[in-house]
């Protein structure tokens, strides 16, 4: 492989941008330069039943205010604040419980047995019982069922769901400040058959949205979700949407059955599913090694495979540990990218249905959008009331990640368009700036790199690509730049990880070039960049040191190497 590098004082580059398309131009940006914007597209509040169960008191309005930098007080009395305001966010409460939350809490407060019992459990802090007795029976059966409350003919749950959805829209519209902060309208479709997470965050481009949220109970498979969006979210009426798979480390082999889908369904998948969440508080979804016994560093980052809901409702299976591991691995991000290549390589195929760009988010259930600091992290949603000893024993969780986009301005439409064209990347929390693309040799030596193909794009020309990776530090110095490649050879996906450069003493900003000299013009391929920080203390280390008990919790006394993942670039032979 050929590589050239140079260290930069600062990372800054310009590349061509599309026309403004008639939208208003923000006065604080230049029309010929893309800007870097930071956000969180996966945030829950007390309007989600599971968040309510475990003590969340934040409303969607609180979550947007927190994302803008305002402090938020939690139910345990702790006041928290984000370290730096976000540029955009989406509150994605669970649509399956819009009706229950509307009827049993604000604004309904129905005085019936179902709602009184739920509120009583909440007041006694028995969140686990609400989670297992109220939520799981709705979303984990193979055929999902509405809440028992909805069996009463006098209770109009459909109207309640629509009412809650209108409230969600109103809050987002009030929080939206074009050119300063983009509050995107969204919700979560929470398919959980057998406790497996086949979830999608549905994010809309503008205030033009369908009059109902298409939830898992009424639209019980992902193809029906896409079809409903296709039918009711019409570009001619100003509506567009993305469905973003998340927590796919807990998908356990489901939700991505491209080999058995019809051409129509594949086309809908390719239209709506253009991104995947590769990191959140429930672990990294980038990759698992082939061998379950392997502890290889490549796929060992923030690994969390244990899923309470699946253990609670699913029970065991008859698969061998090796087969179960392979099934779990099959829905991790890198494996899905490979499956997309295989689908593209199949005879008669016209598209790659799994061209998934990379995003990160928190999955906060307390309205704390973008709060990704390791120091002061108290744990996942079930850990708010727990003592420090209990929190530190559940060390598989992490503060979650962020999503960044290169967009022409900070408006809903511009942020969405950047997401849709996959000019987006994920981080495990730090604000590492990252640009990745195909550019001419010697690009790092010249100001204003112009990418021939930016991240998220497709190389159609059958020539060895020359990549440029530019990255800038956040608080910690950068330690390593890698390039991950996948390609189809003889019907199999071959993965490889290439260390492009390392910085033993750390680097503030880098620009590196790498040419794929092993490029094979007949092999569909993808490449994405991974930038890794120097080691810093993990949240568990901060906690055990604050407790003065790291000797009692040696596994907690750990360092972490935070990272960023670019969206891939794909090669599609024969498409030029």
């Amino acid at each position: 492989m050929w590589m050239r590098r140079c260290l930069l004082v600062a990372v800054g580059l310009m590349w061509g941008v599309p026309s403004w398309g008639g939208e208003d131009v923000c006065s604080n940006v230049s029309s010929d330069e893309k800007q870097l914007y930071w956000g969180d597209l996966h945030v829950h509040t007390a309007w989600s039943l599971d968040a309510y169960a475990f003590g969340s008191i934040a409303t969607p309005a609180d979550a947007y205010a927190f994302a803008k930098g305002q402090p938020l007080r939690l139910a345990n009395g702790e006041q928290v604040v984000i370290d730096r305001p976000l540029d955009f966010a989406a509150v994605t409460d669970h649509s399956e419980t819009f009706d229950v939350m509307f009827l049993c809490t604000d604004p309904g407060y129905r005085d019936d047995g179902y709602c009184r019992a739920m509120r009583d459990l909440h007041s006694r802090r028995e969140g686990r019982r609400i989670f297992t007795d109220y939520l799981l029976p709705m979303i984990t059966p193979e055929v999902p069922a509405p809440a028992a409350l909805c069996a009463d003919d006098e209770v109009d749950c459909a109207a309640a769901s629509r009412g809650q959805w209108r409230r969600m829209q109103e809050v987002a519209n009030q929080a939206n400040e074009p050119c300063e902060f983009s509050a995107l309208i969204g919700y979560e479709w929470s398919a959980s058959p057998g406790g497996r997470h086949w979830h999608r965050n549905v994010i809309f481009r503008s205030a033009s949205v369908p009059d109902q949220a298409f939830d898992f109970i009424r639209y019980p498979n992902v193809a029906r979700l896409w079809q409903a969006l296709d039918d009711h979210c019409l570009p001619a009426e100003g509506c567009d949407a993305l469905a973003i798979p998340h927590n796919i480390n807990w998908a356990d082999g489901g939700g991505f059955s491209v080999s058995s889908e019809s051409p129509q369904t594949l086309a809908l998948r390719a239209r709506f599913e253009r991104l995947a969440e590769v990191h959140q508080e429930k672990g990294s979804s980038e990759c698992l090694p082939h061998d379950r016994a392997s502890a290889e560093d490549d796929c060992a980052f923030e690994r969390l495979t244990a899923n309470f809901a699946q253990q609670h409702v699913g029970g065991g299976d008859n698969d061998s540990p090796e087969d179960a591991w392979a099934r779990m691995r099959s829905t991790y991000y890198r494996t899905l990218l490979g499956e997309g290549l295989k689908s593209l390589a199949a005879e008669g195929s016209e598209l790659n249905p799994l061209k998934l760009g990379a995003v990160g988010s928190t999955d906060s259930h307390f309205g704390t959008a973008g709060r990704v600091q390791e120091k002061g992290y108290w744990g996942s949603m079930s850990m708010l009331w727990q003592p420090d000893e209990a929190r530190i024993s559940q060390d598989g969780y992490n503060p979650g990640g962020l999503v960044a986009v290169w967009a022409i301005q900070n408006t809903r439409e511009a942020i969405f368009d950047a997401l849709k064209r996959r000019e987006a990347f994920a981080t495990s929390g730090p604000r590492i700036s990252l640009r990745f693309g195909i550019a001419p040799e010697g690009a790092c030596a010249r100001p204003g790199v112009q990418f021939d193909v930016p991240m998220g794009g497709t190389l159609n020309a059958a020539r060895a690509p020359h990549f440029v990776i530019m990255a800038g530090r956040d608080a910690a110095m950068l330690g390593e730049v890698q390039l991950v490649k996948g390609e189809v050879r003889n019907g199999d996906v071959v993965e490889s990880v290439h260390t492009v450069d390392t910085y033993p003493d750390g680097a503030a900003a880098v620009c590196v070039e790498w040419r794929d000299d092993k490029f094979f013009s007949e092999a569909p391929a993808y490449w994405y960049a991974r930038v890794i920080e120097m080691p810093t203390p993990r949240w568990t280390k901060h906690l055990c040191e604050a407790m003065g008990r790291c000797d009692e919790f040696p596994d907690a006394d750990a360092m972490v190497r935070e990272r960023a993942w670019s969206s891939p670039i794909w090669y599609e032979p024969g498409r030029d």
Side-chain angles (χ1 to χ4, degrees), residues 337-346 352 459 485-494 519-527 569-575:
L337 293 179
E339 287 301 306
L341 296 182
K342 289 172 65 176
S343 180
L344 179 66
N352 178 346
L459 170 68
K485 177 183 179 181
E487 61 180 340
V488 176
R489 294 289 187 105
N490 299 319
D492 294 323
V493 178
V494 179
F519 174 77
F520 180 46
S521 63
E522 296 181 15
Y526 69 79
W527 303 262
I569 289 173
W570 287 267
Y571 170 62
E572 300 182 351
R575 305 286 195 223

Side-chain angles (χ1 to χ4, degrees), residues 540-562:
T540 51
K541 182 175 178 65
H542 285 297
L543 181 54
C544 76
E545 288 178 346
M547 296 164 61
R549 298 171 63 181
C550 288
D551 56 336
E552 297 179 48
F553 301 96
D555 291 342
D557 191 11
M559 305 290 281
V560 63
R561 299 192 70 189
E562 306 278 16

Side-chain angles (χ1 to χ4, degrees), residues 53 69 81 149 177 191 202 213 240 250 267 304 315 358 373 381 430 469 474 478 504 512 518 529 532 543 556 572:
V81 66
L149 175 71
E177 300 178 48
V202 180
D240 201 357
W250 288 2
L304 181 61
Q373 304 98 301
M381 65 176 178
I469 304 168
D474 190 14
L478 306 179
V512 293
K518 294 186 178 179
I532 303 176
L543 181 54
E572 300 182 351

Side-chain angles (χ1 to χ4, degrees), residues 205-319:
R205 185 176 188 266
S206 69
S208 177
V209 302
D211 63 2
Q212 65 174 305
F214 307 118
D215 61 62
F216 172 58
I217 293 172
R218 298 164 184 83
Y219 298 83
N221 64 64
V222 72
R224 290 185 62 180
L225 168 66
W226 302 326
Q227 188 62 61
L229 290 170
D230 190 56
D231 291 341
H232 299 284
C233 181
L234 305 178
E237 298 176 0
C239 185
D240 201 357
L242 293 168
I244 305 176
H246 64 259
N247 200 193
I248 54 179
N249 52 318
W250 288 2
D252 197 33
F256 299 94
S257 304
V258 296
S259 62
S260 60
E261 290 174 347
S262 68
Q264 178 187 18
T265 299
L266 291 173
L268 289 173
R269 179 189 287 278
R271 175 187 170 188
F272 292 110
E273 297 208 344
R274 301 174 67 83
L275 301 161
E277 185 185 87
V278 300
H279 188 84
Q280 58 138 265
E281 73 166 15
K282 297 185 182 76
S284 172
S285 301
E286 182 193 5
C287 59
L288 283 181
H290 286 276
D291 184 355
R292 62 185 293 268
S294 172
E296 65 177 80
D297 291 341
D298 176 42
C299 296
F301 179 72
E302 294 293 0
R303 186 185 298 172
L304 181 61
T305 57
N307 172 1
F308 169 80
Q310 186 174 355
Q311 294 169 345
H312 180 78
V313 303
D317 57 44
N318 296 322
D319 289 344

Side-chain angles (χ1 to χ4, degrees), residues 10 87 91 122 169 205 217 296 329 343 358 365 394 500:
D87 299 305
V91 172
H122 179 259
Q169 297 169 53
R205 185 176 188 266
I217 293 172
E296 65 177 80
R329 184 181 183 276
S343 180
H365 277 64
Q394 299 183 50
V500 180

Side-chain angles (χ1 to χ4, degrees), residues 44-45 47-49 60 91-107 135 138 147 149-150 156-169 185-190 211-215 217-218:
H44 295 277
T45 73
W47 290 13
S48 286
L49 179 55
V91 172
T92 54
D93 280 316
H94 295 289
S95 56
E96 292 71 23
T97 60
F98 277 179
D99 48 12
V100 169
M101 301 311 296
F102 187 92
L103 293 166
C104 292
T105 65
D106 179 61
L135 180 61
M138 285 189 269
L149 175 71
C150 301
D156 192 342
C157 283
S161 181
R162 290 193 299 271
Q164 192 78 328
W165 177 227
R166 286 192 294 270
R167 296 175 77 206
M168 295 285 297
Q169 297 169 53
I185 297 173
Y187 66 87
E188 181 174 319
W189 178 84
S190 309
D211 63 2
Q212 65 174 305
F214 307 118
D215 61 62
I217 293 172
R218 298 164 184 83

Side-chain angles (χ1 to χ4, degrees), residues 49-50 52-54 117-123 125-137:
L49 179 55
D50 54 352
Y52 168 86
F54 289 108
M118 190 182 86
R119 293 195 296 265
D120 179 61
L121 289 171
H122 179 259
S123 66
R125 300 183 186 174
E126 295 192 36
R128 186 66 70 186
R129 281 195 57 193
I130 297 176
F131 185 79
T132 57
D133 295 353
Y134 282 75
L135 180 61
L136 293 187

